Amino acid sequence: MGKNGKNAESNDEKQDKTETHLKLVEREKEKKMVKKIVWSIVTILVTLLVIFGITSYQYVTSSLKPLDETSNEEIQIEVPSGSSSADISRILEKNKVIKSASVFRFYIKLNNETNFQAGYYLFSPSMTLEEIIQSLQEGGSPVAFDGTKILVQEGLTIEQVAESVEKSTNYKASDFIEKATDKKFLLKLKTTYPELLTSAIESKETKYVLEGYLFPATYDFSDDFSLETVIENMVKKTDEVMQKYYSTIEEKKMTVQQVITLASLIEREGNSYEDRTKIASVFYNRLEAEMPLQSDISVLYALNKHKEIVTYKDLETDSPYNLYQNKGYGPGPFNNPSEDAIKSTLNPEDTNYIYFLADTTTGKVYFSRTYAEHQELVEQYITP
């Protein structure tokens, strides 16, 4: 009986071991299954995150671009007084000027853009976020746009602005010039914008006191506008832009007239901001060395005509505006420059350049430190 009991115990032990082994095997299977499920879930989540990330990146990237680069549509929107950046973002998205209010708001915060002003604006889906922000900072119209639109392009002379007014309104170009040269009106403008116009009024031999002070922009007026209103709005816009630069001009011990004059040359001499800062450097280096600025733009203004090639005879033109014959800045601006040209003038690159020339076929500007270097470039890029 004892022997049989030992066998029975042995069989029980074997059975227990078998059951334990089966349980362990089952648990291993369960662990493997759980791992597979977990890895499947993780893989799905990672895939979804990647897809979400790519989709979000594409959405943000597209939202940073113009909504429709090919659009010619102009959309009038109103920014009510007291509107927050979030309010403005929603207004722009609602009116289909931008794609995403949230991306626009994030862009504003990221770049620390502030000082948005109330008013009525004309925006286009083809505008960049930077252009929209700049317009909002410069300020809108106090009244809705329901009348005439006048475009002042960058680099236009006052006579060309007058022609643009004639094309867009019932006023003649001569009427515009007459009002722009009216002494009582000019004194009124000086009283209103002394920081902007004092040096221009005091300058001698200027052909037009307001040359350079009619800021390039699109202006909208109601049907009952006057020429005085047109001109004052253009001057006001210039003053608004120049407000951020007055302290710098004072620090540089320059006058507004001198800055606008150089900017008007730089506007026509260079296209990119980088080239313009180098051209500004050339002009400052020449002024310091008491050399004439020798800009063809000044000769063409003196001749009052457009020419592709300036001849040696043209360089002898007897005019205070001819900066081949006269040293210094001349009487005043040669056109109405953009803010980019003004900014370039006040932020010249530090160089030793004395000469520059542009390849008329490519638009590329070449700079040199000596006359010999300059002549080599002329022979290479200009001489046929």
Side-chain angles (χ1 to χ4, degrees):
M1 186 172 175
K3 187 177 180 180
N4 290 334
K6 286 180 180 179
N7 289 336
E9 288 176 3
S10 178
N11 289 334
D12 288 341
E13 288 176 359
K14 288 180 180 180
Q15 185 174 354
D16 288 343
K17 288 180 178 179
T18 301
E19 290 177 356
T20 300
H21 177 70
L22 291 173
K23 287 179 180 179
L24 289 172
V25 171
E26 189 66 29
R27 285 176 184 174
E28 284 298 320
K29 288 182 178 179
E30 289 177 356
K31 285 182 179 180
K32 289 180 179 180
M33 182 61 70
V34 170
K35 284 182 178 180
K36 286 183 179 180
I37 293 172
V38 169
W39 276 112
S40 296
I41 293 172
V42 170
T43 301
I44 291 170
L45 288 174
V46 170
T47 303
L48 289 174
L49 285 172
V50 170
I51 293 172
F52 177 76
I54 293 172
T55 304
S56 298
Y57 175 78
Q58 291 175 338
Y59 178 78
V60 170
T61 301
S62 65
S63 297
L64 291 172
K65 297 178 180 179
L67 184 63
D68 182 0
E69 294 181 350
T70 61
S71 175
N72 293 318
E73 180 184 10
E74 286 192 325
I75 302 168
Q76 180 176 186
I77 70 163
E78 179 188 6
V79 175
S81 179
S83 296
S84 65
S85 59
D87 295 331
I88 295 172
S89 300
R90 285 192 290 270
I91 291 170
L92 291 171
E93 180 181 358
K94 181 180 179 181
N95 286 275
K96 297 182 179 180
V97 176
I98 61 173
K99 182 176 182 178
S100 170
S102 58
V103 172
F104 185 76
R105 191 164 61 250
F106 174 77
Y107 184 86
I108 290 171
K109 289 183 179 179
L110 183 65
N111 292 280
N112 196 30
E113 300 287 359
T114 56
N115 300 321
F116 296 150
Q117 300 183 43
Y120 290 90
Y121 295 84
L122 283 177
F123 288 128
S124 170
S126 63
M127 293 176 70
T128 64
L129 299 191
E130 291 86 351
E131 290 171 335
I132 294 171
I133 289 169
Q134 184 177 343
S135 293
L136 289 167
Q137 290 172 334
E138 291 174 355
S141 170
V143 296
F145 303 126
D146 58 358
T148 301
K149 181 183 298 182
I150 299 172
L151 172 64
V152 178
Q153 294 179 318
E154 298 171 345
L156 291 186
T157 65
I158 194 170
E159 292 181 358
Q160 291 171 324
V161 173
E163 291 172 4
S164 181
V165 170
E166 182 174 271
K167 290 177 183 177
S168 304
T169 72
N170 293 324
Y171 292 107
K172 294 180 179 179
S174 57
D175 296 330
F176 183 91
I177 295 297
E178 183 179 352
K179 175 54 67 174
T181 54
D182 181 83
K183 291 184 178 180
K184 287 184 179 180
F185 179 51
L186 290 174
L187 289 175
K188 175 187 173 185
L189 289 175
K190 178 189 173 183
T191 302
T192 307
Y193 308 101
E195 208 166 12
L196 178 71
L197 292 176
T198 296
S199 59
I201 296 287
E202 292 177 351
S203 294
K204 298 178 180 179
E205 297 187 287
T206 50
K207 185 176 182 181
Y208 299 110
V209 171
L210 294 183
E211 186 77 88
Y213 297 90
L214 307 177
F215 195 78
T218 299
Y219 297 88
D220 293 84
F221 302 94
S222 58
D223 292 328
D224 58 347
F225 69 93
S226 66
L227 276 178
E228 187 168 316
T229 301
V230 172
I231 295 171
E232 185 160 6
N233 277 20
M234 293 177 181
V235 173
K236 178 184 177 183
K237 187 75 169 178
T238 305
D239 183 64
E240 289 173 352
V241 171
M242 293 300 293
Q243 284 294 329
K244 68 186 80 167
Y245 301 115
Y246 286 139
S247 59
T248 302
I249 293 171
E250 187 175 355
E251 288 171 8
K252 288 180 175 290
K253 297 181 179 179
M254 297 177 69
T255 66
V256 174
Q257 182 81 335
Q258 289 171 336
V259 171
I260 299 293
T261 297
L262 287 185
S264 69
L265 293 175
I266 291 167
E267 175 71 48
R268 298 288 298 278
E269 294 282 15
N271 295 318
S272 71
Y273 180 76
E274 182 181 0
D275 283 343
R276 286 175 170 179
T277 58
K278 290 179 181 176
I279 292 170
S281 176
V282 170
F283 287 150
Y284 283 121
N285 290 340
R286 283 179 160 268
L287 287 168
E288 187 175 353
E290 297 187 356
M291 298 173 63
L293 295 185
Q294 294 186 326
S295 169
D296 289 356
I297 304 304
S298 70
V299 176
L300 294 174
Y301 190 84
L303 291 169
N304 197 25
K305 62 176 67 173
H306 174 75
K307 296 179 67 176
E308 292 295 332
I309 299 175
V310 176
T311 66
Y312 285 110
K313 183 179 180 181
D314 294 332
L315 301 183
E316 296 173 358
T317 300
D318 183 18
S319 167
Y321 281 96
N322 182 352
L323 299 186
Y324 272 86
Q325 298 293 322
N326 302 282
K327 296 179 181 179
Y329 297 86
F334 302 87
N335 56 63
N336 294 278
S338 64
E339 183 174 3
D340 185 82
I342 294 168
K343 187 177 178 181
S344 303
T345 302
L346 293 171
N347 296 278
E349 190 168 324
D350 186 11
T351 76
N352 294 320
Y353 297 136
I354 297 294
Y355 302 91
F356 71 90
L357 62 85
D359 184 338
T360 55
T361 57
T362 64
K364 185 174 176 58
V365 183
Y366 298 91
F367 299 86
S368 52
R369 296 173 178 82
T370 67
Y371 184 70
E373 290 177 0
H374 179 66
Q375 283 301 106
E376 288 180 7
L377 291 171
V378 170
E379 291 177 7
Q380 185 175 355
Y381 297 104
I382 305 299
T383 305

